[in-house]
Amino acid sequence: MTADASTFTTPSTERPPSAVPVDWTAVEDWLGVGLPADYKRLADRHGPMDFGDYVWIHVPCVQQGRFDYGEWLRETHREARIEARKLPEAERPVFHPEPGGLLAWGCTRGGDVLFWDTSASADPDGWTVVVRHSGAVPGSGLLAWHRYGLTLTGYLRHTVRDTWELPSPPGPLMGPLPGTVARTAFLADAGAWTPPAPVPPRLTEAERRVALTTGTGWDALRLLSPPPERPYLGDGSWERLFTELGTRLPEEYVRLMDEYGAGIWSGWLRFHTPLRTGGRRFLTHAEDTADAYRDLKDAFPDRCPLTVWPDPGGFLPFANSIDGDHLGWLTEGEDPDAWPLIVWPRHADQGPPLEGGLIGTLLAWQRGTLAAPGLATLDEDDDPVEFAGFRPWDDSAYWRPPGRA
């Protein structure tokens, strides 16, 4: 086994590392595998650490709203699984909790993700490092994925060196890095992490069938994303909003807001508060978005082909995504209930209007069966029930935004 990391590391004086209590028995029981002894020693000595001013070594800890070890593993493995589909099928790695799957332990400022290969040895102390590099790896048959054949300590030790000429495994090792160990700056207040207890299925098999396949409309949507007990709409009235806008809004939207209120769907799609009377009211969002669209339309008319509200048939937004996409109506004709839905995508070309109504669109999107420019999509291995959900804006509980492709 390689030398202990204490032989080549120096604690930072500006952000000295500090330990966080870890119940390793509980963590390993939750993971279903043991963990390498050198990793546990590092974690017990230093807690969440910034190694060499470049590598974040994540340990079991939690900081409200910033980091949760279990959620980080889940999201990291999901994103890596999606990324690995770019490889030929025979070369795709598998990921924990699949037997022998890669298990993440850190990432870098450059966007690399660091894993152990749990298939390398029956003994965790023999697990070797695999890096998902953010760029292509010269000499590697796995494109951006590279197996280094070094344990965690061996890999870290190899990054702490004076020159690039030292013998090294094929591939672009990081470094040379300083051997400093600092407390991760964004986890300054991290504390002990408790593995989550097993959660029984939210829906029965019969309910899943209704929510995901056989059900339609409101009944299926309520099963997939239960409405809150107290919807939050603001302190005004619909008639006041309609007067302010100079138009009524589709009845389906009014009913949806009356039942769910303002909030965020699947941790991604945010519905504005419709009846707020303060500064950031519905009209403010609509006007700001319309102004931004006009500015872009002047500069890039081919990429911004829509007419903008309040012009006849113009785009009137009522929701946006955490990625900057906007969902709204094309206000065509005098009947708001006939207005088609459309997405103004931030990172894609403008697509056509959506074919369904608002409830059908939300249901299909949360089921993972609707693909349109600007709408986040589920991965083929995601469970739609796990990713569906609605949180009202006045719910202050910690929310985990589910990942989407």
Side-chain angles (χ1 to χ4, degrees), residues 28 35 51 100 128 152 155 175 177 179 216-217 243 247 272 300 311 358 366 374:
E28 291 173 328
L35 291 171
F51 179 85
T128 52
L152 169 68
Y155 183 81
L177 303 178
T216 59
T243 299
T247 180
H272 306 317
F300 307 101
D311 292 342
L358 181 56
Q366 292 208 310

Side-chain angles (χ1 to χ4, degrees), residues 228 230-234 238 253 256-265 269-276 318 390-395:
R230 295 181 299 278
Y232 176 64
L233 283 82
W238 286 112
Y253 169 77
L256 179 77
M257 300 310 291
D258 282 342
E259 186 154 348
Y260 282 87
I264 186 165
W265 294 80
L269 184 60
R270 306 177 294 197
F271 275 60
H272 306 317
T273 307
L275 306 184
R276 181 182 289 149
F318 60 85
F390 176 81
R391 177 175 67 90
W393 287 135
D394 63 346
D395 182 352

Side-chain angles (χ1 to χ4, degrees), residues 238-378:
W238 286 112
E239 289 306 319
R240 175 173 176 168
L241 174 62
F242 298 159
T243 299
E244 191 171 45
L245 293 174
T247 180
R248 301 187 69 81
L249 297 177
E251 285 297 325
E252 196 174 32
Y253 169 77
V254 174
R255 181 180 175 187
L256 179 77
M257 300 310 291
D258 282 342
E259 186 154 348
Y260 282 87
I264 186 165
W265 294 80
S266 295
W268 189 81
L269 184 60
R270 306 177 294 197
F271 275 60
H272 306 317
T273 307
L275 306 184
R276 181 182 289 149
T277 58
R280 297 300 298 171
R281 59 197 192 279
F282 187 101
L283 178 62
T284 308
H285 286 291
E287 290 177 335
D288 288 352
T289 304
D291 288 344
Y293 195 92
R294 287 190 191 94
D295 290 343
L296 287 171
K297 188 179 181 72
D298 288 342
F300 307 101
D302 292 341
R303 296 190 60 185
C304 300
L306 302 180
T307 304
V308 186
W309 179 85
D311 292 342
F315 175 62
L316 174 57
F318 60 85
N320 63 22
S321 78
I322 61 174
D323 297 318
D325 312 280
H326 293 267
L327 176 65
W329 303 281
L330 294 180
T331 56
E332 300 171 346
E334 297 182 358
D335 180 9
D337 294 329
W339 291 349
L341 288 167
I342 195 165
V343 178
W344 170 27
R346 182 181 178 187
H347 301 294
D349 293 335
Q350 180 63 57
L354 304 177
E355 294 184 0
L358 181 56
I359 302 308
T361 293
L362 277 175
L363 181 59
W365 174 65
Q366 292 208 310
R367 284 173 166 175
T369 59
L370 174 63
L375 286 180
T377 57
L378 290 172

